[in-house]
Amino acid sequence: MATQAMADGPLERAVSETKRYMASIASDPEACPMFPVVNEYNGTGEALCYIQGYLAGLVAAAGQKPTKARMDELVLDTLNDPSMRDIILKVQADVKYLDTPYPPREF
């Protein structure tokens, strides 16, 4: 059990650092130079992918190789942070396109 706690230390630090980063950019994610240019009509998916990539980078930088199940737990914990909701709300479009079979795609 102590080995598991020691092994999780870098993983928990990666999660807390990701949450700290999300909180720091939540007020204006697009002002952050590392945050990608987001297609607002797919902003949720793009923001989720970006944050998961950020977390995965921190996990890899820590030299950790968690199991798929453990990584899923870390991702779920990270994405359920209130800052993630704030980021998603900021990158969504305010105006919806008319119902068309092929809506325009903006980047």
Side-chain angles (χ1 to χ4, degrees), residues 8-106:
D8 283 350
L11 297 176
E12 295 306 324
R13 281 193 297 276
V15 169
S16 64
E17 170 59 25
T18 303
K19 288 180 179 182
R20 186 206 58 76
Y21 171 68
M22 289 188 325
S24 73
I25 68 169
S27 63
D28 190 8
E30 294 171 342
C32 174
M34 295 188 312
F35 198 80
V37 176
V38 172
N39 167 4
E40 290 181 335
Y41 297 93
N42 193 27
T44 299
E46 292 183 38
L48 291 172
C49 287
Y50 175 72
I51 296 299
Q52 288 181 70
Y54 188 89
L55 174 64
L58 290 175
V59 168
Q64 300 298 301
K65 295 182 181 177
T67 64
K68 170 80 168 104
R70 181 67 178 126
M71 193 64 190
D72 287 346
E73 290 173 11
L74 298 174
V75 168
L76 186 63
D77 180 27
T78 302
L79 297 182
N80 279 318
D81 189 77
S83 297
M84 190 70 226
R85 178 183 171 276
D86 294 341
I87 290 170
I88 288 172
L89 290 175
K90 297 279 192 230
V91 298
Q92 288 300 298
D94 294 333
V95 179
K96 302 291 184 204
Y97 281 119
L98 297 174
D99 188 19
T100 63
Y102 304 104
R105 186 170 173 125
E106 295 178 279

